[in-house]
Amino acid sequence: MNKSRPRAALLHRLFPFLHWAGELRGATLHADLMAGITGAVIVLPQGVAYAMIAGLPPQFGLYSAIVIPIVAGLFGSSRHLVSGPTAAISVLVASVLAGMSIAEGDYIALALTLTLLAGVFQLGFGLARMGALVNFISHTVIVGFTAGAALIIALSQTGNLLGLPAGGPSGLKAFAVVAAAPPPHLATALGLFAFTLVSCQLIRKLRPRWPALLLAMIAGSLLGVVIGAGEQGVPMVGAIPSGLPPLSVPAFTPEVLQSLVPGALAVALLGLIEAVSIARAIGLRSHQRIDSNQEFIGQGLSNIVGSFFSSYAASGSFTRSGANYEAGARTPLAGIFASLVLVVIVLSFPQASAWLPIPVVAAIIVLIAWGLLDFTTIRRIVHASREETAVLGATFLAAIVINLEFAIITGVALSLFLYLRRTSQPGVIPVAPHPDRPAPGLRNARKHGLPEDPRLRILRLDGSLFFGAVEHVQGQLQRLSADQKRILLVCSGVNFIDLAGAEMLLHEARRLRREGGALYLCGLRDTARRKLQQGRFLDALGRDHIFGDPARALAALLPDEPPSPGNTPQTTETKGQG
C-alpha cells in the first residue's frame, strides 16, 4: 500500500489529466460538450483571422485550433484554459519571420520551426521548475506590448481592407498605391469592410450573448455573394483544404535554428505569460489553484506536437477560456470537444471560405485588434504612477518602432531598472518622538515639524541594506552626521542585510568612533540580525550598541528621559518586526 502511493503520485505528475479523468460522468460530459460547441463557434473566425495575421494560409489557424488545445488540455493544470492561436502570438510570429531573408515557399517551414523551438523553451522552463519566471514580466509590460501589437495588427490590414491582392503592401504604402492607381473594386471592398464592422457592433449591442464575430463574418460573406464581390475583383480567402491537419516537418538546419532562437524565446515567454495569466485569472473565479510549472509543460508539449501537425505557435486565449468557463465547462475535455467539433466543420464544409472576401476578414481582424486595447488599465496606469507610465510607453514604442520581441525585453529591462533604482535608494529619514503617539512614537521629524534631541540623531532606514544601496545609505549617514556624531539607526524597516551592507555599517561605526561619536542600531529583524551574527559583525559593532527596539534604545541613550509608563519593549512602531 505504501509503495502504491508514490507510484500513483508519479503517474499523476506525468499524466495530469488523471486528476480529472475519473470525474467524467453524464452531467459533466454534457456540460463539457455544450461548452465545446460554443468554443468551436468562437474559434472558427478567429483561427482564419489569426493565421492571416501571422502571414500563413487560413487553414493553419484552424489546424492550430484543433491540435494545440488537445495536448495543452491533457497536460496543463487549468480546467478552463483553452489554448490555440492568439492575436499577440500571431503578430509576433509575423514580426520574427519578417526580419529574415526567406525564399518563397520556406515561410511555412520556418513558422513551424519557430513553433517547435518555442515549445522546447517552454517545456524546458517547466521541467526546470521556473514557473515563477512570469512574475518578472509585469502586467504593465503586457498592456504596453498588447497595445503595440494591436496597432501593428490594424495597420497590417490596410491592404486587405482596400482590396489589394494578397501579399501586397500594407500601412501607408497601401494608401499610396491606391492613391496612385485606385482598383476598380475599391468601393466594394471598403463597403464590405464597413458593413462587417457595423454588423458586429450591432450584434454585440443587441444580442451580446451571440457569437458576433462569426455572425458578422457570415453576414459579410452573404453580402459579398449578393453583390458579386468576387466577379468585381475583390480577393477571396479561398477554399480550405479538406482533411485533418497534415503531418509536417520543421526545418532543422543549424543556420535556421540559430537564427530563430531569439525570436523563439520571445514567442515562448509571451505564450507562457498569456497562458499562466489567463489561467490564474479564471482560477480565481473557479477557485482552482494553478500550477505554473505544469502549465509551462502543457504549453511546451502542445507547441512541440503541434509543429509536426501543421500548427503554428499558440497560447492560452482569454476570449475562448472565458467563454469556456461561462458556458459551464467542468474539465479540460471541453477544449478537446471544441477541437473535435472544429474537425467536423473543416471536413464537412471546406468550401465555405471560398466565398469569404478578404476585406471581411480584415474587418474581423481590426475588431480583434481593437479588443486588445485595454483603455481602462492604460488610464489607471497613467494616473497612478509615472514610472509605470514610462514602462508602458517604452514597451509600446519599442513594439511599433523596433520589433515585438525586443519590446518585451525593453519593458522587462526598464521595469527591473526602475525597481533596482528604488531599492538602491532606501529612505534615511530623521525621526523624533511624537507627543500624540505612545512612547517612543517615532515619526518623520521634518514632515511633522518635530524637534530633534541635540544629544542624539535618530534615523530610520526604510529598505534593505544590500550592495546596491550601500553607497546611497553611506552618503546619507555621513551627511546627516555632520553636526551630530551620536547616531541611532532604527532598522525595523530593513528586511535584509548582505555582506557589503554589514561592512558599511562597521565602517561608519568606526568612523563615528574616531570622531568622538557612536553608531547604535535598534529594531533589527531576525533575518538581518542573523546575517550580522554569522559574519561576527555584532561583536565588532559592539553588542552594547545594539538594542531590541527604539524604546529600550532611548531609555539607555537618554537616561534622563525614561520611557512613558506602560511602554513595553515591543512598541507600536516595531511590534511584530523582531
Side-chain angles (χ1 to χ4, degrees):
M1 185 68 179
N2 291 334
K3 293 182 178 180
S4 63
R5 288 181 179 177
R7 189 179 300 114
L10 177 61
L11 285 175
H12 280 78
R13 283 199 301 271
L14 295 176
F15 306 105
F17 53 84
L18 295 176
H19 286 287
W20 51 266
E23 302 174 14
L24 298 179
R25 303 289 188 273
T28 300
L29 289 172
H30 180 267
D32 286 345
L33 178 60
M34 293 299 101
I37 293 173
T38 302
V41 170
I42 292 174
V43 78
L44 184 59
Q46 289 184 343
V48 172
Y50 292 154
M52 294 182 66
I53 291 174
L56 293 165
Q59 65 266 25
F60 282 82
L62 299 181
Y63 295 157
S64 295
I66 290 171
V67 178
I68 299 289
I70 295 176
V71 181
L74 289 174
F75 291 93
S77 70
S78 173
R79 293 188 170 223
H80 298 100
L81 180 70
V82 178
S83 297
T86 69
I89 293 292
S90 298
V91 73
L92 183 53
V93 168
S95 175
V96 171
L97 298 181
M100 300 180 62
S101 178
I102 301 174
E104 186 176 356
D106 291 343
Y107 190 94
I108 293 175
L110 290 178
L112 298 177
T113 306
L114 181 67
T115 302
L116 174 64
L117 290 176
V120 170
F121 276 124
Q122 292 172 333
L123 179 61
F125 292 151
L127 294 176
R129 315 297 291 175
M130 296 175 66
L133 185 67
V134 297
N135 296 333
F136 289 95
I137 303 179
S138 69
H139 184 56
T140 301
V141 173
I142 298 303
V143 172
F145 171 87
T146 305
L151 181 59
I152 293 173
I153 290 170
L155 291 176
S156 70
Q157 296 306 305
T158 51
N160 291 334
L161 72 90
L162 295 172
L164 297 181
S170 60
L172 297 178
K173 292 182 179 179
F175 288 108
V177 169
V178 171
H185 56 267
L186 176 61
T188 303
L190 291 175
L192 289 170
F193 178 83
F195 175 80
T196 306
L197 288 179
V198 173
S199 298
C200 185
Q201 295 303 93
L202 285 175
I203 294 170
R204 284 174 171 173
K205 184 175 181 179
L206 300 176
R207 292 290 186 270
R209 292 185 174 274
W210 289 10
L213 288 177
L214 178 63
L215 294 178
M217 182 180 285
I218 293 173
S221 299
L222 291 177
L223 178 61
V225 172
V226 170
I227 65 177
E231 290 78 5
Q232 297 182 37
V234 175
M236 298 289 181
V237 170
I240 294 175
S242 178
L244 297 173
L247 293 174
S248 55
V249 180
F252 289 107
T253 62
E255 296 80 7
V256 169
L257 294 177
Q258 183 177 3
S259 61
L260 287 176
V261 163
L265 180 59
V267 172
L269 290 176
L270 178 61
L272 294 177
I273 295 163
E274 281 193 324
V276 175
S277 299
I278 294 167
R280 287 177 177 174
I282 297 179
L284 291 175
R285 300 169 63 187
S286 62
H287 307 291
Q288 184 198 354
R289 182 181 177 276
I290 303 300
D291 183 345
S292 297
N293 294 310
Q294 188 62 51
E295 207 58 59
F296 279 25
I297 293 173
Q299 294 296 316
L301 286 174
S302 66
N303 280 316
I304 291 173
V305 174
S307 67
F308 293 96
F309 287 91
S310 302
S311 304
Y312 77 97
S315 180
S317 165
F318 189 82
T319 301
R320 298 194 292 279
S321 300
N324 190 46
Y325 173 73
E326 295 294 339
R330 299 184 183 180
T331 72
L333 189 62
I336 298 174
F337 277 141
S339 296
L340 297 178
V341 172
L342 193 58
V343 167
V344 174
I345 295 174
V346 171
L347 293 177
S348 304
F349 308 102
Q351 298 296 323
S353 61
W355 297 282
L356 179 59
I358 293 286
V360 171
V361 179
I364 298 299
I365 292 174
V366 169
L367 287 167
I368 291 171
W370 181 260
L372 291 175
L373 295 171
D374 190 350
F375 291 106
T376 301
T377 302
I378 291 174
R379 282 193 296 268
R380 186 180 300 121
I381 291 171
V382 171
H383 292 150
S385 169
R386 286 185 297 179
E387 289 188 348
E388 291 297 318
T389 302
V391 172
L392 176 71
T395 307
F396 175 78
L397 289 176
I400 61 176
V401 174
I402 307 175
N403 55 50
L404 283 171
E405 57 266 37
F406 186 75
I408 298 177
I409 298 173
T410 299
V412 172
L414 183 57
S415 298
L416 291 176
F417 169 77
L418 293 174
Y419 169 75
L420 290 174
R421 190 181 71 169
R422 287 195 301 270
T423 56
S424 65
Q425 297 179 355
V428 183
I429 303 169
V431 294
H434 196 291
D436 297 331
R437 298 284 183 176
L442 299 177
R443 292 294 182 268
N444 190 318
R446 295 172 185 175
K447 179 179 178 180
H448 296 280
L450 302 175
E452 296 185 62
D453 195 300
R455 298 166 296 171
L456 178 71
R457 169 147 287 168
I458 311 172
L459 301 176
R460 187 181 70 220
L461 180 57
D462 293 339
S464 294
L465 193 53
F466 70 109
F467 64 93
V470 163
E471 183 177 355
H472 171 77
V473 173
Q474 187 171 26
Q476 291 294 92
L477 284 176
Q478 293 178 1
R479 182 179 65 84
L480 293 170
S481 64
D483 58 347
Q484 173 54 262
K485 304 304 180 183
R486 294 182 74 221
I487 302 294
L488 172 62
L489 195 60
V490 181
C491 301
S492 55
V494 180
N495 293 313
F496 172 74
I497 298 178
D498 69 356
L499 179 61
E503 289 179 340
M504 186 275 293
L505 289 176
L506 182 57
H507 179 274
E508 286 302 298
R510 289 171 175 169
R511 177 184 67 83
L512 289 170
R513 242 178 254 144
R514 288 195 305 268
E515 296 176 1
L519 176 66
Y520 304 95
L521 306 180
C522 71
L524 283 168
R525 293 172 179 260
D526 290 341
T527 52
R529 183 183 289 272
R530 279 197 297 270
K531 286 292 182 181
L532 295 177
Q533 178 68 43
Q534 290 169 0
R536 301 183 182 275
F537 287 99
L538 288 181
D539 294 328
L541 289 168
R543 291 185 178 270
D544 57 334
H545 285 54
I546 311 296
F547 299 93
D549 54 48
R552 291 183 176 180
L554 293 181
L557 300 176
L558 301 174
D560 55 328
E561 293 183 14
S564 301
N567 182 54
T568 61
Q570 292 288 350
T571 66
T572 303
E573 187 75 14
T574 61
K575 184 177 181 181
Q577 298 181 357

